[in-house]
């Protein structure tokens, strides 16, 4: 099974429910007092079976249960979804099956059930190893509960990762480096380290707008980002993507599917998908976001797709760049030729390329276009400059 070939694809399962809504979260998550697990189990399997014929590849490399809080699912639900996937595709023992979990003591006790259902990787939403920070972030667990959950996860799964959020109010490089050293003592082979951003529509956005708290400015945030990369690289977990660090070979396969712009099928409320048909055309899919409406439509129609559209070549190129330049490996010249028919030099204004290379933001070799560490730190600006310099297809010259 190749995890890097163009035919590799992933399956994403979205469980939309949480015990509470975190103030920084802009994901499609909902608090519900009760869930009919049997009904949801049947609907998840039904949508999977309905949408499976749209997948042309058999090279399934990853299954990812995200949310929401998938660790609130019953292990039987996970088991039945995996059983259905195995009937639809060849799911060998090497396929990565990840489940996101919150480190409360009750959910940690369910890890063995998820392992028995077929999960072989768990990703824990630890977010901080400090009780005051966890309270600020609206988390329901304590630092000690998080540490205990990580230890239980290591006992149950061969692959364990957890998330932390940095650039919190008042956080210094010294504070963060100390927390990172503690995280590294707990970590296995993978850590996800996200810089706190204030997203519109979240509770934090309204509070921040009112002046309720301040986060580190750009210079302070940059220093925290650089300290993150340096600390993790010294520990043997270099950044393979802007926010993700792993020992070589331990990268999250499912996230690589996204960043390499490979195909993926998404089921569950608000799930997205990118699927290439037999003619080589990529289509974007999205299901209904509202859980109740999603459930009603799946039971009626077999799926709850609300959007299906062909991705035109210009949009596809933008996606490939936006995703691929997040990775340390970048985007290969061969990939750009396959997507567009043009060389890097023909696609982009040469003066802009020279400027970006001279500023130390991008690197172009005989095989790849990639953002440098400095460029990945400023990726939004680098992407904007590249897209502004795009001169394909109207006036680019063919190779």
């Amino acid at each position: 099974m190749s995890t890097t070939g163009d035919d590799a694809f992933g399956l994403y399962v979205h469980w939309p429910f949480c015990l509470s809504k975190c103030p920084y979260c802009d994901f499609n998550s909902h608090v519900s007092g009760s869930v009919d697990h049997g009904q949801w189990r049947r609907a998840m399997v039904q949508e999977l079976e309905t949408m499976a014929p749209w997948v042309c590849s058999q090279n399934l490399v990853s299954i990812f249960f995200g949310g929401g809080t998938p660790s609130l699912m019953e292990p039987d639900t996970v088991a039945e979804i995996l059983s259905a996937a195995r009937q639809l595709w060849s799911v060998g023992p090497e396929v990565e099956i990840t489940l996101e979990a919150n480190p409360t003591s009750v959910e940690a006790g369910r890890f063995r059930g998820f392992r028995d259902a077929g999960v072989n990787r768990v990703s824990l939403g630890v977010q901080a190893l400090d009780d005051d920070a966890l309270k600020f972030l609206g988390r329901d667990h304590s630092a000690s509960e998080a540490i205990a959950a990580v230890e239980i996860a290591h006992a149950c799964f061969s692959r364990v990762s957890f998330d932390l959020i940095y650039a919190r109010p008042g956080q210094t490089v010294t504070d963060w480096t100390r927390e990172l050293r503690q995280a590294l003592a707990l970590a296995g082979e993978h850590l996800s380290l996200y810089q706190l951003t204030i997203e519109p529509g979240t509770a934090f956005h309204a509070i921040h707008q009112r002046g309720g708290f301040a986060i580190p400015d750009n210079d302070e945030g940059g220093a925290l980002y650089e300290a993150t990369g340096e600390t993790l690289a010294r520990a043997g977990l270099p950044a393979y993507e802007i926010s993700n660090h792993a020992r070589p070979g331990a990268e999250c396969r499912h996230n690589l599917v996204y960043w390499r712009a490979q195909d993926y099928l998404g089921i569950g409320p608000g799930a997205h998908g990118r699927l290439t048909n037999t003619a080589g055309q990529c289509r974007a899919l999205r299901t209904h976001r509202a859980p109740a409406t999603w459930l009603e439509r799946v039971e009626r129609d077999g799926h709850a797709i609300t959007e299906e559209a062909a991705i035109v070549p210009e949009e596809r190129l933008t996606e490939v760049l936006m995703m691929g330049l997040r990775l340390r490996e970048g985007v290969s010249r061969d990939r750009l030729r396959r997507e567009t028919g043009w060389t890097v030099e023909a696609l982009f204004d040469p003066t802009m390329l020279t400027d970006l290379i001279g500023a130390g933001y991008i690197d172009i070799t005989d095989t790849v276009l990639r953002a440098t560490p400095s460029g990945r730190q400023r990726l939004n600006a680098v992407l904007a400059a590249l897209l502004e310099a795009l001169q394909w297809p109207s006036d680019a010259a063919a190779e």
Side-chain angles (χ1 to χ4, degrees):
M1 179 188 71
S2 171
T3 62
T4 58
D6 288 344
D7 65 335
F9 84 98
L11 169 63
Y12 175 76
V13 181
H14 189 80
W15 182 259
F17 302 114
C18 288
L19 291 176
S20 61
K21 183 77 171 179
C22 295
Y24 56 83
C25 177
D26 67 340
F27 294 163
N28 185 33
S29 59
H30 306 263
V31 178
S32 177
S34 63
V35 175
D36 185 332
H37 286 269
Q39 186 181 22
W40 274 82
R41 183 180 307 136
R42 291 187 295 273
M44 289 279 190
V45 171
Q46 185 176 4
E47 186 169 58
L48 175 61
E49 292 175 341
T50 300
M51 296 176 67
W54 299 2
V55 180
C56 292
S57 172
Q58 286 292 313
N59 187 15
L60 178 60
V61 300
S62 173
I63 301 172
F64 194 101
F65 293 87
T69 307
S71 52
L72 294 176
M73 302 171 76
E74 291 182 346
D76 284 350
T77 300
V78 173
E80 290 203 22
I81 292 171
L82 294 179
S83 176
R86 289 187 179 97
Q87 293 178 43
L88 294 163
W89 301 286
S90 176
V91 181
E94 71 279 9
V95 172
E96 178 188 88
I97 302 173
T98 302
L99 182 130
E100 291 183 330
N102 274 343
T104 62
S105 58
V106 173
E107 292 170 48
R110 297 157 63 89
F111 285 172
R112 290 177 182 85
F114 291 123
R115 179 196 60 195
D116 294 343
V119 173
N120 56 28
R121 182 179 183 272
V122 70
S123 178
L124 287 159
V126 169
Q127 313 308 11
L129 293 170
D130 174 85
D131 284 339
D132 288 338
L134 288 168
K135 183 176 180 180
F136 166 74
L137 292 170
R139 303 299 285 167
D140 293 328
H141 61 270
S142 66
S144 61
E145 286 176 319
I147 292 169
V150 172
E151 291 171 347
I152 293 171
H154 279 299
C156 292
F157 302 98
S158 58
R159 302 188 68 196
V160 175
S161 179
F162 61 86
D163 301 354
L164 294 176
I165 294 174
Y166 68 96
R168 307 186 299 255
Q171 189 176 40
T172 66
V173 169
T174 300
D175 295 334
W176 176 227
T177 303
R178 185 185 306 115
E179 191 169 358
L180 282 177
R181 286 197 293 267
Q182 185 181 3
L184 285 165
L186 296 168
E189 299 180 322
H190 192 287
L191 281 172
S192 298
L193 306 166
Y194 300 105
Q195 190 163 341
L196 178 63
T197 56
I198 309 302
E199 302 293 344
T202 64
F204 265 1
H205 185 263
I207 298 169
H208 187 259
Q209 289 288 95
R210 297 196 301 266
F213 65 86
I215 58 175
D217 61 24
N218 287 338
D219 289 340
E220 294 166 333
L224 289 164
Y225 176 86
E226 291 171 1
T228 302
E230 292 167 2
T231 301
L232 271 291
R234 284 196 301 269
L237 279 74
Y240 67 95
E241 187 268 346
I242 290 174
S243 301
N244 287 269
H245 304 252
R247 299 193 190 282
E251 299 86 356
C252 175
R253 291 183 194 168
H254 194 81
N255 285 338
L256 286 175
V257 165
Y258 295 151
W259 296 320
R260 288 172 174 163
Q262 296 168 328
D263 279 13
Y264 58 95
L265 171 63
I267 66 167
H272 291 251
R274 292 289 186 275
L275 296 175
T276 305
N277 61 23
T278 54
Q281 183 182 55
C282 186
R283 302 188 71 80
L285 306 170
R286 186 176 71 82
T287 61
H288 202 286
R289 288 176 56 88
T293 304
W294 176 89
L295 188 61
E296 176 186 344
R297 293 192 179 185
V298 171
E299 291 179 333
R300 184 189 68 200
D301 303 325
H303 66 82
I305 295 169
T306 58
E307 294 180 17
E308 179 187 359
I311 302 177
V312 301
E314 296 92 330
E315 294 173 334
R316 184 62 173 166
L317 175 61
T318 299
E319 287 190 350
V320 168
L321 291 172
M322 289 179 65
M323 296 291 103
L325 292 181
R326 296 181 64 89
L327 291 168
R328 183 177 55 188
E329 68 186 38
V331 182
S332 73
R333 282 180 174 269
D334 287 344
R335 179 65 185 276
L336 290 173
R337 289 191 192 99
R338 288 196 302 272
E339 293 288 346
T340 68
W342 314 100
T343 65
V344 173
E345 290 77 10
L347 279 168
F348 302 101
D349 174 70
T351 301
M352 180 64 76
L353 289 181
T354 300
D355 290 345
L356 288 171
I357 293 170
Y361 295 151
I362 65 170
D363 181 27
I364 302 175
T365 72
D366 291 341
T367 59
V368 71
L369 164 65
R370 61 186 164 217
T372 64
S374 181
R376 290 197 297 274
Q377 187 176 351
R378 303 163 176 83
L379 189 58
N380 287 343
V382 171
L383 281 169
L386 278 173
L387 294 175
E388 183 180 345
L390 184 64
Q391 53 188 18
W392 171 81
S394 60
D395 55 355
E399 182 180 9

